[in-house]
Amino acid sequence: MTTQDLRLTIAAELERTRARTTLLTETVDDDDLTRQHSPLMSPLVWDLAHVGNQEELWLVRDVGGRDPVRHDIDELYDAFKHARRDRPALPLLDPAEARAYLGQVRDKVFDVLDRVRFDPSVRLTDGGFAFGMIVQHEQQHDETMLATHQLRIGAPVLTAPPPPPARMIPAGEIHIKGGPFTMGTDTEPWALDNERPAHPVDVPAYWIDAAPVTNGDYLAFMDAGGYDDQRWWSERGWAHRQSAGLEAPLHWLRDHEGWHHRRFGRVEPVNPAEPVVHVCYFEAEAYAAWAGKRLPTEAEWEKAARWDPDTGRSRRYPWGDDPPGPQHANLGQRHLSPAPVGAYPEGASPAGVHQLMGDVWEWVSSGFEPYPGFSAFPYREYSEVFFGGDYRILRGGSFGTDPAAVRGTFRNWDHPIRRQIFSGFRCARDAG
Ligand SMILES: [Fe+2]
């Protein structure tokens, strides 16, 4: 790609991303923007100005070497300085100030982008990395803001066409041969430090579900008394199930006609063909035990998603190296729900595993650890400070994740009790 093409690509990604941020913050009034909809989430207006502040820190000041736009607000929007529950009490920019700030920063960023040289010897800008990091950061906050919209009580404000229907029924389980594959990447220009480096991992043979666990599957677990049977739960999982009073996925409601869920302000019957969403790690683990299976490890998930048995190569995505299109996966908030299983046959992996990308983030059994040869870049706070913490990995992105913010190597992590995120899972078992 020429320098000019890279500039144009980055500019288009920045603008496309900002359009989503604008939509998520203009569809609600100022009261909704400044209110905290859940102690787990920031007020939307915090996310908005924080997105601008990170863009200013990295692109205006670091890459551009320019003077600060607003040095006085850095501390307010430092995610490490204030827990989410404390953010509403801060002297935050109001919605009009936040929008004006984002506009000022963006003007300067376009000026920096016009002049930047993507010198391969400067790691921060090689391949446009810092711009890619900021695009992905804003997209990640767009998904967080979508989760805040899901928690918001009030009349619906977001609309989108329904996802495509199922076009086939995926097989139950897929056998993946044992042996080494290449995990992680050295070549994705916008991959983050925790996805690097590429390294061989020897994975014994296993079976993995061809599709994510559906609402219908999950209802069978519920109907079998799964929430009340300690046998299926880990010790920590059972303690959490008891103390939090878990009885169904988050946002589910029961009435005389059966189970419904509230989705972006609308109450709808639960569709048994859709992947289950808004379950925590402990619920996923309990379902898998009830089903006589287990959750896949992170390496098993990535091998199922990327390994091509014919060539031995690891692909960028399950379907190949092409970027995600609407035929491949339910990504990018194009639809505001997971699609039924079997809706994306063109997105399947070579082995025949479906819907690994998009629809729901998938809990895997691994914690967040560095790959061998890891080095922190561009700062320790991106990944390194989280290694070894009380987290479980999630893979593959959800309907709320932008295609620029996920790939076959992308690693997300969260606390095992979290379920306000768009989280689901699939199961695996040993082959032997
Ligand atoms: Fe952030």
Side-chain angles (χ1 to χ4, degrees), residues 85-310:
R85 66 176 175 279
D86 301 329
R87 291 176 190 167
L90 300 171
L92 301 177
L93 301 189
D94 70 27
E97 289 169 334
R99 289 183 181 119
Y101 172 61
L102 259 70
Q104 279 177 294
V105 171
R106 184 52 63 89
D107 285 348
K108 287 196 196 291
V109 165
F110 279 134
D111 196 46
V112 170
L113 180 60
D114 275 343
R115 288 152 207 257
V116 72
R117 294 170 56 238
F118 301 109
D119 181 350
S121 70
V122 180
R123 200 171 159 198
L124 193 59
T125 48
D126 180 27
F129 174 81
F131 294 89
M133 181 177 78
I134 286 301
V135 163
Q136 292 179 74
H137 177 258
E138 183 164 342
Q139 292 287 5
Q140 286 161 3
H141 278 273
D142 287 350
E143 181 165 0
T144 302
M145 289 196 281
L146 189 69
T148 303
H149 270 266
Q150 169 63 15
L151 289 159
R152 170 186 163 269
I153 304 297
V157 294
L158 298 176
T159 53
R167 284 161 53 195
M168 46 94 69
I169 299 170
E173 295 175 292
I174 301 289
H175 182 264
I176 308 286
K177 273 195 297 192
F181 88 109
T182 301
M183 188 170 184
T185 178
D186 295 328
T187 52
E188 282 287 340
W190 291 5
L192 299 156
D193 59 0
N194 62 58
E195 299 166 64
R196 302 167 184 270
H199 60 287
V201 180
D202 197 353
V203 186
Y206 61 102
W207 294 88
I208 190 161
D209 291 353
V213 168
T214 64
N215 287 326
D217 301 329
Y218 200 79
L219 276 163
F221 164 71
M222 290 166 60
D223 290 344
Y227 274 95
D228 298 315
D229 194 333
Q230 194 175 347
R231 276 182 302 165
W232 312 129
W233 298 75
S234 63
E235 198 176 320
R236 269 191 79 194
W238 183 249
H240 178 65
R241 177 258 169 270
Q242 297 292 83
S243 64
L246 302 184
E247 291 181 331
L250 185 62
H251 305 302
W252 283 36
L253 322 153
R254 183 177 219 160
D255 69 9
H256 59 280
E257 290 170 56
W259 286 102
H260 288 64
H261 51 192
R262 192 173 48 76
R263 188 170 266 168
F264 302 108
R266 297 174 188 88
V267 175
E268 301 164 353
V270 165
N271 178 350
E274 279 176 18
V276 66
V277 61
H278 296 301
V279 288
C280 70
Y281 176 81
F282 295 130
E283 289 168 300
E285 197 184 44
Y287 172 94
W290 169 79
K293 303 186 189 182
R294 57 176 173 79
L295 297 178
T297 64
E298 187 177 21
E300 286 172 338
W301 190 96
E302 188 167 320
K303 187 174 180 182
R306 299 183 61 214
W307 182 61
D308 180 346
D310 289 339

Side-chain angles (χ1 to χ4, degrees), residues 55-68:
E55 184 169 320
E56 178 188 350
L57 289 172
W58 287 100
L59 301 184
V60 177
R61 297 192 213 167
D62 271 31
V63 173
R66 308 293 172 91
D67 289 338

Side-chain angles (χ1 to χ4, degrees), residues 68-87:
V69 181
R70 292 223 25 188
H71 60 80
D72 56 318
I73 59 172
D74 291 353
E75 202 263 340
L76 285 177
Y77 296 104
D78 183 336
F80 286 89
K81 296 253 165 72
H82 307 283
R84 284 178 173 179
R85 66 176 175 279
D86 301 329
R87 291 176 190 167

Side-chain angles (χ1 to χ4, degrees), residues 46-47 50-51 54 77 79 137 140-141:
W46 186 92
D47 286 285
H50 165 80
V51 155
Q54 287 290 303
Y77 296 104
H137 177 258
Q140 286 161 3
H141 278 273

